[in-house]
Amino acid sequence: MTPARTTNSERETEDVGIVVGRCVQAGDVVLLIGDLGAGKTAFVRGMVLGMGGEAAVVSSPTFAIVQQYATRVPLFHADLYRLEAREVPDLGLEELAESGVLVVEWGDRMQARPRDAIEVRITDMGGDRRELAVRLPDHTPWNEVADSLRASIPPGSSAPLS
Ligand code: ADP
Ligand code: MG
C-alpha cells in the first residue's frame, strides 16, 4: 500500500509527518529517501509534533548521527548522509527501534532494512512541489493513515500511485 500525495510547502510536508507521527508505535522504523533539500528533516519535524514533542528542537543530526527527542514514545532521528555504507551496520540502529521509534534520513543507505519499515520517498518536482510516496505496512492503524493521505491530496496534484 503506497499512497502518494503532492505537497506545495514545507508546512504541508510537516503535516504529512504529523499524520505518521500520530500513528507510530515503539518498534516502528521510518526510512526517509530523497535528495538533499527534499524535505526529509521537515517530515521529521512533523513526526515530532505528531508525537507530542517540540518541533523547534529538530535539525538534521549530521554530526551527532543520532538525536533523541522527548516524545510520547522516544523518537530516535538518524541521518546517514555523511556515513560510508560500510559504517552503517555498526551503528546499532535496529536496537534503538526496540525502545522507541526510529526515523532515518537517507534510509536507503541502511543495509539491513527492517522488512516492515515505513518508507517515505520524497521527490522534488520543482519549486516548492514535492511528491511524497509513503509505503505503509498492510494493517491497521496504517489503513487509516493511508486514507488520510489520499483524502488530503490537494486539487490539481498528481493522482495516488495506488
Ligand atoms: P532534507 O532534510 O531532505 O535535506 P530539509 O527538510 O532540511 O531537506 O529542507 C527542505 C527545504 O526545502 C527547506 O528549505 C524547505 O523550506 C524547502 N521546501 C520547499 N518546498 C517544500 C515542500 N513542499 N516540502 C518540504 N520542504 C520544502
Ligand atoms: Mg535533512
Side-chain angles (χ1 to χ4, degrees):
M1 178 168 56
T2 309
R5 59 159 294 186
T6 302
T7 65
N8 292 295
S9 67
E10 181 171 0
R11 174 68 204 278
E12 286 182 15
T13 294
E14 283 181 21
D15 286 346
V16 179
I18 289 175
V19 173
V20 171
R22 285 196 187 125
C23 285
V24 283
Q25 292 169 359
D28 283 334
V29 176
V30 180
L31 303 175
L32 302 179
I33 301 165
D35 291 339
L36 265 187
K40 300 180 294 300
T41 302
F43 188 94
V44 175
R45 205 173 295 119
M47 280 186 67
V48 170
L49 282 172
M51 295 175 75
E54 296 273 341
V57 300
V58 178
S59 62
S60 276
T62 306
F63 297 103
I65 299 174
V66 183
Q67 244 158 241
Q68 184 184 342
Y69 306 117
T71 34
R72 73 178 155 77
V73 178
L75 177 65
F76 300 97
H77 176 197
D79 188 327
L80 304 182
Y81 180 59
R82 282 172 199 271
L83 293 183
E84 302 282 340
R86 63 183 158 73
E87 296 174 299
V88 174
D90 302 330
L91 291 174
L93 291 176
E94 300 81 356
E95 284 151 46
L96 289 178
E98 285 165 23
S99 53
V101 172
L102 172 67
V103 59
V104 186
E105 295 194 39
W106 299 93
D108 43 334
R109 297 186 181 185
M110 240 176 121
Q111 308 232 302
R113 294 189 232 165
R115 209 157 38 89
D116 232 14
I118 295 142
E119 276 184 19
V120 182
R121 284 178 192 272
I122 311 181
T123 309
D124 189 334
M125 308 299 282
D128 289 344
R129 276 185 60 154
R130 304 287 190 273
E131 184 167 274
L132 274 65
V134 186
R135 198 197 73 184
L136 297 165
D138 256 335
H139 52 74
T140 50
W142 297 108
N143 299 336
E144 289 154 41
V145 179
D147 289 346
S148 85
L149 290 178
R150 290 193 184 97
S152 61
I153 293 168
S157 67
S158 61
L161 295 180
S162 69

